[in-house]
């Protein structure tokens, strides 16, 4: 892609600090409010709310993988936005809170509330929202924090930097590498390095 086009897309999706950090404030408040409402309506069903919430978090890991692999890297305009992030990894490029939250409500919460009991719908929606919040937090930490070797965050950062290096080849999971292993897109530098060495040997 032409760098000029990437720059223009990046400028469009470049967020101010308030808009960028709003996710880390708004989502916890919305999740807590929805959970409190569900518990107020049906306090005896608290265990179903928790089960649904944990299920939503688990489902998010697959949603995260699918979105990253097939949407962020292939859908026009969205791909341009993601390429802008790859080009400038420290830039505050992302989706405004009002768009992501509207998607969560219109695409997730409303349909689920029509298909199942409200506390289960709220639990699943809250789990997915928490997954999105956790993804945003982890992604921010990997790009903006100084991380010490030997920690879980360092291992996640290593995986994610391999994704940035090899781009569309793999490591699409940010919070977990589980689905990359399942679908054969896990990149391990110890596997990739010998391949590069063989190519360099043939070139010589």
């Amino acid at each position: 892609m032409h760098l000029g086009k990437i720059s223009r897309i990046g400028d469009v999706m470049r967020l101010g600090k308030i808009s960028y950090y709003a996710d880390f404030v708004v989502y916890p408040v919305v999740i807590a409010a929805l959970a409190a409402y569900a518990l107020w309506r049906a306090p005896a069903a608290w265990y179903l709310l928790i089960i649904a919430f944990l299920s939503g978090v688990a489902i998010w890991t697959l949603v995260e993988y699918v979105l990253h692999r097939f949407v962020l890297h292939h859908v026009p305009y969205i791909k341009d936005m993601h390429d802008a992030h790859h080009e400038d990894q420290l830039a505050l490029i992302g989706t405004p809170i009002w768009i992501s939250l509207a998607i969560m409500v219109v695409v997730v919460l409303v349909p689920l509330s029509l298909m199942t009991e409200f506390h289960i719908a709220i639990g699943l929606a809250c789990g997915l929202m928490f997954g999105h919040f956790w993804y945003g937090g982890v992604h921010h930490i990997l790009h903006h924090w100084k991380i010490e070797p030997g920690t879980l965050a360092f291992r996640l950062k290593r995986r994610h930097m391999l994704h940035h290096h090899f781009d569309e080849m793999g490591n699409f999971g940010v919070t977990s590498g589980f689905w990359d292993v399942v679908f054969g897109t896990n990149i391990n530098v110890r596997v990739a390095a010998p391949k590069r060495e063989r190519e360099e040997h043939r070139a010589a």
Side-chain angles (χ1 to χ4, degrees):
M1 177 184 294
H2 192 276
L3 291 180
K5 184 178 181 182
I6 292 176
S7 179
R8 289 193 300 273
I9 296 295
D11 289 341
V12 171
M13 298 307 293
R14 194 179 300 269
L15 305 177
K17 287 187 177 181
I18 293 177
S19 182
Y20 178 81
Y21 289 104
D23 275 17
F24 305 125
V25 176
V26 174
Y27 272 101
V29 171
V30 171
I31 291 168
L34 286 173
Y37 174 71
L39 289 173
W40 175 70
R41 285 280 306 274
W46 62 268
Y47 64 97
L48 292 176
L49 182 68
I50 293 176
I51 292 172
F53 174 81
L54 294 176
S55 298
V57 174
I59 292 169
W60 168 260
T61 62
L62 178 58
V63 172
E64 174 189 305
Y65 175 88
V66 171
L67 286 176
H68 196 174
R69 181 177 181 180
F70 298 108
V71 177
L72 297 185
H73 280 278
H74 294 285
V75 175
Y77 187 77
I78 295 178
K79 181 182 186 302
D80 297 340
M81 181 186 74
H82 194 63
D83 286 342
H85 162 63
H86 274 239
E87 289 296 321
D88 187 357
Q89 298 179 29
L90 294 179
L92 303 182
I93 295 174
T95 306
I97 181 68
W98 66 269
I99 293 178
S100 65
L101 194 57
I103 291 173
M104 285 291 182
V105 172
V106 175
V107 178
V108 178
L109 182 57
V110 172
L112 284 174
S113 65
L114 297 175
M115 293 186 294
T116 186
E117 297 180 30
F118 81 95
H119 48 277
I120 295 177
I122 288 178
L124 285 169
C126 285
L128 287 164
M129 289 182 188
F130 181 82
H132 174 74
F133 162 78
W134 182 244
Y135 159 79
V138 170
H139 190 258
H140 175 80
I141 288 169
L142 300 186
H143 282 288
H144 296 274
W145 287 20
K146 182 179 179 181
I147 301 173
E148 296 295 327
T151 63
L152 172 60
F154 187 83
R155 291 194 294 272
L156 290 175
K157 182 179 179 69
R158 178 178 174 275
R159 275 185 42 81
H160 192 57
M161 291 305 102
L162 285 172
H163 166 72
H164 275 271
H165 180 72
F166 292 99
D167 198 26
E168 298 184 17
M169 288 180 59
N171 285 11
F172 299 104
V174 174
T175 58
S176 168
F178 176 78
W179 296 109
D180 283 291
V181 174
V182 170
F183 294 115
T185 56
N186 189 58
I187 300 172
N188 189 318
V189 71
R190 289 187 294 274
V191 174
K195 180 180 179 181
R196 292 198 303 275
E197 293 170 1
R198 289 195 300 271
E199 291 172 350
E200 292 170 357
H201 178 73
R202 285 198 299 269

